[in-house]
Every structure is written in C-alpha cells, then in structure tokens.
Amino acid sequence: MGEFILARGNGRKIPKEDKIFGIAGRAKAAIAEKGRDNVVNGTVGALFDDDGNLVILDSVVKEFKDLDPRDFAEYAPIGGIPAFKEAVKKAAFGNHMPKGYLEAVATPGGTGSLRNTISNYSDRGDQILTSDWHWSPYGTIAGEIGRSVATYEMLTPDGKFNAGSFKEKVHELLERQQSLVIIINTPAHNPTGYSLTLEDWNNVIDVLCEEAKSGKTIVPLIDVAYIDFAGDEDEYRKFFDLFERFPENVLLVVAYSLSKTCTLYGGRCGAMICVAKTPEIAAEFKSVCEFSSRGSWSNSAKFGQVILSRIYGDPDLLAKVSEERAYFRNMLLARGRAFSEAAEDCGLTIVPYDGGFFVSIPCEDPDGASAILEEEDIFLVPLAKGLRLSLASAPEDKCKDLPPKIKAAIEKL
Ligand SMILES: Cc1ncc(COP(=O)(O)O)c(C=O)c1O
C-alpha cells in the first residue's frame, strides 16, 4: 500500500511531521525541561522580546479591543472593505506609490496573495521562478494548484545578487511557457535577511524589460512580508519608484501581509496589489483575483482590514504604530548585527544579513550540523543549502554567542 489510505496522493510527498514545527516542538520541550536561559530556540518565525514574550503592538491591541462586533462578525466584501483597499496601498508603498493603475484585493495573509497570483498568471503545469534560498511554502502553494517551483542562484560566491543566473532562468522558462510568475522576497528575505539593492533592482528590471520583448506575460510578484523589519521604512520603499519602465505585458504584483507588520499573524489579513499599465489590465486583475478568492476561501477576515483602515485614517495612531514597531525593529536589527559581527570575528561564513527575522549559514550538511547543535540545546532549522537562525526568537546575547558554536558544529562533520 502507498503512503495514503483514502486520500488521493496527487503526486505529493507529505512528510509525517513538518520539519520546522518538529524542531520548534523539541526546542519548546527543552525549554520546559532546562529553562529558557539554557536553550537557544532559533526556529520560530514570529518576533519575541528578550524575555521570550511574543511581541504584539499595544497600539494595534487597543484598536482590536475597540472594535464594534460588526467589525468581525459581518462578512467583508470578497475583495475587501473599500477603506482597507486604500489603506493597504499606503501601508505597502508609503511615499513611493508607483505610477500606474493600482488595484488591491484582500487576501488571508500574504499566503493568499501568493496563491491567487500563481493561479491567475500561470498555466497548470508551469514552473514559477524564485531564488534557490527561499521560503519552502512557495513550493507547497504552487504544488497544490498544479504548478512547481524552479530556482535561480540568488547570490554570487562573493555574496552579491546573481543577476546572471536570474537572467538565464527567466529566459529558459519563457522559452517554454506563455507566462512567468517570479517571486522575489525582499527586503529582508526569508531565510537569509538579504535585501535587493537599488542596483540589483535595476538589473532585474533590465532583464524583465528585455525578456518582455517576446510579448509573453511576466509577473514579478514581490513578497514584502518583512518590509517594515528591514530598516528605515521610507528608505526600504525607494525601489517602488523604479518600475515605470515596465511595458504593458509586465504586471507588478505586491503581496502585502499584516502578519508581521501589524503583529496580526493569526488575524490572517493581507492584500495583493497590482500596478498595471492600463485600466483594463487592472480591472482584469481585480476580477480574476476576486473570482479565485470566492473559489478558495471566499471572503477574508474583516477585523484586520478595519484595524489597518483606522491606522491609516488617523495620523496620530499611525505615528504610534510606527514608533512602537521601530523600537522592536531596532531590537531585531541589533541581534542581526551582533550575530554578523561575531560570525566575522570567528570566521564563520554567513549569507550577508541586511535585515528581517532570519539569517542563514551556508553548509554542506545542514541536517548533520543541526543535529550536532541540537545536542547542545541549540535549535536551528536545516534548509537545503544551510542552516536558518531566527533572530526574531533568539535574544541578542545568545545571537552573539552562537557563531563559534555553529562553526564548531560544521567543522565536526
Ligand atoms: C517569506 C514569507 N512570505 C510570506 C509569508 C506569509 O505569511 P502570512 O500568510 O502569515 O501573511 C511568510 C510568513 O512566514 C513568509 O515568511
């Protein structure tokens, strides 16, 4: 008998236990047994303060408590409430609103935006392009709707964006597909903390403009899940000014999420926003994406939409949210700096960290290295190309102590 009893496999390999949740569970058990001070839990994809408490913005909690019951009990329109659709464009783009025809469609988190973009801008059987270092659910999301993921090498050996590999892969896929969705997770990429520079972006845009001469559809899907945890919120939105050069057959889509930016992980709120060259392409985006929403989760939860609408409707509240978030962002970036400096001091090679929740350490045998570290109560996630440390869940003093221990574990293999 195969792996499935009654369920249809549909070509899938479903692990008994999700690797990340498995390790996170063992880290929790170790903390319960040995105490927080004696364990490093570098596995969790949510932000914790140095005392191990989940960071939840007080200003957001206050708005949550002030909700009218209709703000969560009532259905929201499929595409989102009108105030949210405006607010989320401001949240995503800030002072760098791209020129073009913008449409926003509410989704359950960034995940919903990824799903709907893939389903509407690729054909069944197509490959979606992303970097070799990537958030593994991209493959799951694509696979569940009959697509798969192809990858380019994200970095050159000296740690720069690999525009050559990007170009090669885009060209190769467009030779055999009618359209191409390309997921680019920046700034503050998960799992590496890399952010594309403006120069990297110009190289990406050059490639896409050149390839678009084929007349085929290209959809750069920018996953900005960590946009407010990269650094200065305005500085890290400047790349949105660069997309004017795109021709009509390149449709920019931004996957925005309130999970991290508003600490509403469980609220399942986000949006997909398109920047189209014609009103017809924007209207089509709205129509096909709302149709897909209807056929997958129907309406999205309403309360996060109301909260974001209030934040962007009240400058004082927006200032409060931004100030509170800046405090925690600085806490996170200090952990990243502490880790990077200690790695440099002991000669541990890491993927250059710019910002965000995670940093990665390339190695030959990630599973082996993670098993050795686990014996010392250090819990990191093994990926295909290395280990991932969540700076979001490890306090600064531990981030500082880790590099020599990681180096020793890798050298033991
Ligand atoms: C890279 C990346 N993209 C998107 C998401 C989407 O998260 P959500 O669906 O909670 O908004 C996450 C969450 O961990 C992520 O790490």
Side-chain angles (χ1 to χ4, degrees), residues 45-46 107-114 134-138 141 183 185-186 188-191 223-226 255-260 264-271 357-358 388:
T107 54
T111 302
S113 317
L114 299 166
H134 65 263
W135 187 49
S136 63
Y138 292 155
I141 296 165
I183 306 177
N185 173 210
T186 190
H189 175 252
N190 175 6
D223 178 355
V224 297
Y226 298 92
Y256 184 83
S257 167
L258 274 68
S259 298
K260 284 96 187 165
L264 279 175
Y265 308 87
R268 309 311 303 139
C269 188
F357 283 27
F358 305 103
R388 185 189 81 172

Side-chain angles (χ1 to χ4, degrees), residues 19-20 23 42 132-134 136 155 189-192 339 348-351 358-371 373 379-390 406 409-410 413:
K19 214 181 209 177
I20 300 185
I23 300 176
D132 48 0
W133 292 95
H134 65 263
S136 63
L155 299 166
H189 175 252
N190 175 6
T192 65
F339 182 82
L348 174 72
T349 304
I350 65 170
V351 178
F358 305 103
V359 62
S360 288
I361 304 102
C363 66
E364 293 291 322
D365 178 5
D367 285 305
S370 134
L373 288 163
F379 295 84
L380 306 189
V381 175
L383 307 169
K385 299 193 68 168
L387 295 167
R388 185 189 81 172
L389 162 68
S390 167
I406 297 173
I410 293 174
L413 291 162

